[in-house]
Amino acid sequence: MEKVIKMYERETEEFRKLNKIAKTNGIVLFGSSFAKEIPVCELKQTFNMECSIYNRSIADLSVFSAAELLNDCVCSLLPKKVLLQLGETDLEQGYHTIPEIVSEYEKLIAKLKSADKHCSIVVVSVC
């Protein structure tokens, strides 16, 4: 666990700071490289979304490391909805099979549900 946190320390520290001033009960996008580039502020403005939406994605994040970062990146925002877009890094690296990635996704979803059983979770397909 410590190794994962060290690997993404700069990003998670920035998210910790931002989450202290962010509004809760919004939408959080949590993903890897593709998701990191999604312009959530522009989408919010374009579609006149009333709720807060935050992008807490990290470049090259593996689904196998994501659970250890959930508290700092997602759960502290008490989101009403979480959009997950993970697995691309794992597929690109080729270290894990699709069933292994799906199994890790299930664990991640279970951890999110244990933090808030009312939170909606949307799994966005890997590009």
Side-chain angles (χ1 to χ4, degrees):
M1 179 172 143
E2 185 68 30
K3 181 180 178 186
V4 170
I5 292 171
K6 287 271 188 212
M7 187 176 193
Y8 302 110
E9 188 172 2
R10 185 174 49 90
E11 289 94 344
T12 55
E13 180 58 31
E14 186 66 26
F15 291 151
R16 276 188 219 105
K17 290 176 186 175
L18 288 171
N19 290 354
K20 287 179 182 177
I21 59 171
K23 293 180 181 177
T24 58
N25 299 309
I27 300 170
V28 178
L29 171 60
F30 185 56
S32 190
S33 299
F34 177 79
K36 185 173 179 69
E37 301 304 319
I38 295 174
V40 295
C41 292
E42 285 85 353
L43 292 173
K44 178 180 174 161
Q45 291 172 354
T46 301
F47 295 106
N48 295 317
M49 297 172 68
E50 304 249 344
C51 66
S52 301
I53 181 166
Y54 301 105
N55 192 337
R56 295 300 185 254
S57 301
I58 298 173
D60 299 323
L61 180 63
S62 167
V63 69
F64 294 87
S65 301
E68 297 174 32
L69 305 174
L70 273 182
N71 289 336
D72 289 329
C73 297
V74 179
C75 295
S76 62
L77 288 167
L78 306 171
K80 67 178 180 182
K81 186 173 288 187
V82 176
L83 308 175
L84 293 175
Q85 196 278 323
L86 293 160
E88 70 189 62
T89 299
D90 304 293
L91 290 172
E92 287 171 358
Q93 292 175 345
Y95 297 139
H96 299 282
T97 65
I98 291 174
E100 289 171 330
I101 293 168
V102 169
S103 176
E104 200 62 28
Y105 244 113
E106 290 169 346
K107 292 175 192 173
L108 189 63
I109 291 168
K111 186 169 182 173
L112 282 167
K113 281 297 189 183
S114 72
D116 181 355
K117 65 181 179 181
H118 300 293
C119 178
S120 297
I121 300 168
V122 176
V123 176
V124 180
S125 77
V126 174
C127 296

